Amino acid sequence: NDGSVTATPVDAYDSEYLCPVSIDGQILALEFDSGSSDLWVFSTSLPLSQQKGHVIFDPSKSKNWKALSGYTWNITYGDKSGASGTVGTDVVTVGGTSVSGQAVEIATQVSSQFVSDTANNGLLGLAFSSINTVKPQKQKTFFDLAKPSLSSPVFTADLKHHAPGTYDFGTINSAKYTGAITYTNVVTSKGFWEFTGSGYAVGNGSFVSSSIDAIADTGTTLIYLPDAVVTAYYQQVSGASYDSSQGGYTFPCSATLPNLTLGIGSYRAVVPGQYINYSPRGSKCFGGVQSNTGIGFSIYGDVFLKSQFVIFDGSSTPRLGFASK
Ligand SMILES: O=C(CCCl)NNC1=[NH+]CCN1
């Protein structure tokens, strides 16, 4: 049973996108995250102070809830946010796609970033189940459990700039993209949708061929790239500089930002310059392209993904597809 769900930006900067998910009839807005593999929710087991302002899942009100005695989970994300708790299974429905026996990870503790982000009531991981954090036995993702019931073992992301988009499960809707889809191989050894980009161009500049090891991550807001790319980009932005107090490149909010073209095979994915003016910060504006130093690979986050129609193909040979829209 294929499904489609709306992905709504949480704020004016598209810092994250939230989707309604039903857990045995209790509906929570969750962040779909292709950079992690745990489905966890704000719960009645959290301290009341951490529950405040959030929509809370109450397992005691779920007829299909089955606690997994002695199971725990503990996750830390790339931005150092995190959460931990206990585990049960329940019926989880996303759009028209329903799964029974889905491990639902109950938060008993969440980091301050999640407490203050009151629109976010948990995450639904869409990376590979190999990096699920549940112990003593890791659990399958929603996508892995749904796959056998889908017309084809895929989900697509059609995120939008300052507007709601969609995640589709089981189908590739040809009305959502233009031109051909370019597929690229995925390496799953780190549990991510990891691929190798083929290079970049800044504005109308010439394309620079270079292999860029990257992950497609809907749970990361910005684009994190090698320093060579980032410096080349901001050299074309008058008044741009690295501001260590802000933790990244900033520029005058009046600056005109060039497009950033990222190569995937022979395909040229164009990120509009205006998407790279991420948000006002202090007296300047903070860039949507930042350095990947310290991460170990590049991250093609929402600033990139919302410029494309993206196919996450979970067939026996996983691959990523990209198309313009
Ligand atoms: O943790 C990462 C980066 C993996 Cl390298 N992405 N997913 C996510 N979810 C919430 C914050 N970030």
Side-chain angles (χ1 to χ4, degrees), residues 47 60 80 93 137 141 165 203 251 257 260 280 291 310 312 315:
S60 72
K80 308 294 176 251
T93 306
Q137 287 167 7
T141 64
F251 43 80
L257 292 170
L260 174 66
S291 169
V310 187
F312 294 80
S315 59

Side-chain angles (χ1 to χ4, degrees), residues 54-235:
H54 290 268
V55 174
I56 299 297
F57 176 65
D58 182 350
S60 72
K61 297 218 171 62
S62 168
K63 293 189 186 58
N64 292 290
W65 177 258
K66 295 187 181 63
L68 288 175
S69 174
Y71 282 59
T72 58
W73 60 283
N74 188 329
I75 195 162
T76 302
Y77 297 102
D79 62 2
K80 308 294 176 251
S81 64
S84 59
T86 58
V87 192
T89 62
D90 213 328
V91 178
V92 172
T93 306
V94 173
T97 305
S98 207
V99 162
S100 55
Q102 170 73 56
V104 176
E105 301 171 32
I106 296 297
T108 58
Q109 176 275 326
V110 298
S111 66
S112 58
Q113 298 97 320
F114 286 113
V115 175
S116 54
D117 182 1
T118 50
N120 181 319
N121 305 302
L123 267 72
L124 187 145
L126 292 167
F128 293 88
S129 298
S130 58
I131 57 171
N132 175 266
T133 74
V134 172
K135 291 180 178 170
Q137 287 167 7
K138 66 176 73 219
Q139 301 296 302
K140 288 189 173 182
T141 64
F142 171 80
F143 179 47
D144 265 357
L145 290 177
K147 252 183 227 175
S149 79
L150 300 178
S151 298
S152 67
V154 303
F155 69 90
T156 66
D158 181 20
L159 301 178
K160 293 185 189 253
H161 183 63
H162 298 174
T166 51
Y167 286 97
D168 293 342
F169 290 87
T171 54
I172 296 171
N173 183 340
S174 56
K176 295 189 175 182
Y177 64 91
T178 59
I181 297 170
T182 298
Y183 285 98
T184 191
N185 284 337
V186 157
V187 169
T188 64
S189 50
K190 295 193 193 77
F192 299 128
W193 292 90
E194 185 174 8
F195 65 102
T196 302
S198 55
Y200 66 96
V202 178
N204 301 323
S206 55
F207 185 80
V208 177
S209 293
S210 73
S211 293
I212 301 175
D213 174 16
I215 68 170
D217 183 3
T218 60
T220 289
T221 308
L222 307 182
I223 303 173
Y224 296 88
L225 290 165
D227 280 328
V229 185
V230 179
T231 44
Y233 181 81
Y234 287 113
Q235 265 167 8

Side-chain angles (χ1 to χ4, degrees), residues 10-16 161-162 221-224 234 241 243 246-255 257 272-290 303 306:
V10 73
D11 59 22
Y13 314 114
D14 299 345
S15 58
E16 63 187 66
H161 183 63
H162 298 174
T221 308
L222 307 182
I223 303 173
Y224 296 88
Y234 287 113
S241 66
D243 180 345
Q246 297 293 354
Y249 284 85
T250 61
F251 43 80
C253 294
S254 56
L257 292 170
Q274 71 173 65
Y275 290 16
I276 300 171
N277 184 341
Y278 171 62
S279 73
R281 193 166 301 185
S283 62
K284 301 236 174 131
C285 275
F286 194 76
V289 170
Q290 296 294 341
V303 168
K306 67 184 176 181

Side-chain angles (χ1 to χ4, degrees), residues 17-33:
Y17 295 84
L18 298 173
C19 307
V21 174
S22 167
I23 306 173
D24 203 20
Q26 296 181 48
I27 299 177
L28 284 74
L30 302 186
E31 179 179 2
F32 282 22
D33 181 11

